[in-house]
Amino acid sequence: MKIKSENIPDGYLIKQFLPANYCDIFSYTRKTSKMITPDDVQVAFWTIQPSWIQNLFKIRNILVKPFGLKGEEKSMNEIEDCIRNSCNYRFISIPAKSESETVLCLDDKHLKAYLSVHIDKAENNTKTIETITLVQLKNILGYLYFYPIIPFHNIVVK
């Protein structure tokens, strides 16, 4: 897994949501004959979480509740349906999708985050999966919330 600080390549759907206050790109290349779609990766990211990540989200939800920020329990089936069928689920939506990329948006009163999964397929069953995060901060609460969680964001996304 590499962290890339490069600009988002032309042709990526997530590029239309720039400018952003924060951007990161993680890249992973693997040789596999399995058919993997951006939807598959998004669904797995949001629905299959180790217990330590679940615990981090529980702590986060307790800490942000007094500020009126969203953090409800999520329905795995509804999240998967939202991703695969480009629907809305609570504060989650799918604003852009192609065969090689799925962009998920989390829109709350303090920030708007776009999470993209882009898959490039090369010869010899080699696939490069990139996750790109863009964050647009809406107010001071967004800054106070987001910057302390960046280290956790980097661990979880990897």
Side-chain angles (χ1 to χ4, degrees):
M1 177 77 59
K2 288 189 228 175
I3 301 173
K4 295 169 36 176
S5 59
E6 302 168 7
N7 291 331
I8 298 169
D10 289 335
Y12 280 43
L13 296 174
I14 196 166
K15 196 164 186 166
Q16 67 187 298
F17 302 106
L18 290 170
N21 301 94
Y22 176 87
C23 176
D24 65 32
I25 302 173
F26 294 88
S27 180
Y28 177 73
T29 301
R30 181 180 178 126
K31 196 171 194 172
T32 179
S33 60
K34 290 183 181 179
M35 179 61 175
I36 302 170
T37 69
D39 283 2
D40 295 336
V41 177
Q42 287 276 18
V43 167
F45 181 80
W46 293 102
T47 64
I48 304 169
Q49 298 171 338
S51 60
W52 67 270
I53 291 178
Q54 291 173 10
N55 291 333
L56 276 177
F57 277 109
K58 285 177 186 174
I59 293 167
R60 176 248 182 227
N61 292 344
I62 291 167
L63 293 174
V64 301
K65 190 172 185 174
F67 301 101
L69 301 179
K70 298 174 183 172
E72 308 95 17
E73 291 298 316
K74 51 193 176 198
S75 162
M76 302 309 173
N77 290 337
E78 290 179 272
I79 290 174
E80 181 171 2
D81 182 59
C82 171
I83 292 167
R84 295 200 187 278
N85 299 307
S86 300
C87 304
N88 294 340
Y89 172 69
R90 297 186 179 169
F91 59 99
I92 300 171
S93 64
I94 305 296
K97 186 188 277 203
S98 70
E99 186 177 306
S100 61
E101 184 176 9
T102 298
V103 180
L104 182 139
C105 177
L106 302 169
D107 192 2
D108 210 333
K109 63 184 172 185
H110 64 299
L111 62 76
K112 186 180 268 193
Y114 295 93
L115 306 160
S116 167
V117 172
H118 187 278
I119 300 178
D120 280 327
K121 297 169 189 159
E123 294 178 18
N124 302 325
N125 291 322
T126 301
K127 294 174 180 68
T128 299
I129 301 171
E130 292 177 305
T131 60
I132 303 169
T133 303
L134 298 179
V135 178
Q136 299 166 345
L137 302 168
K138 296 181 178 180
N139 53 41
I140 190 69
L141 188 56
Y143 286 90
L144 294 173
Y145 169 78
F146 185 69
Y147 284 103
I149 68 161
I150 288 174
F152 301 102
H153 163 81
N154 291 338
I155 292 167
V156 170
V157 172
K158 283 182 196 176

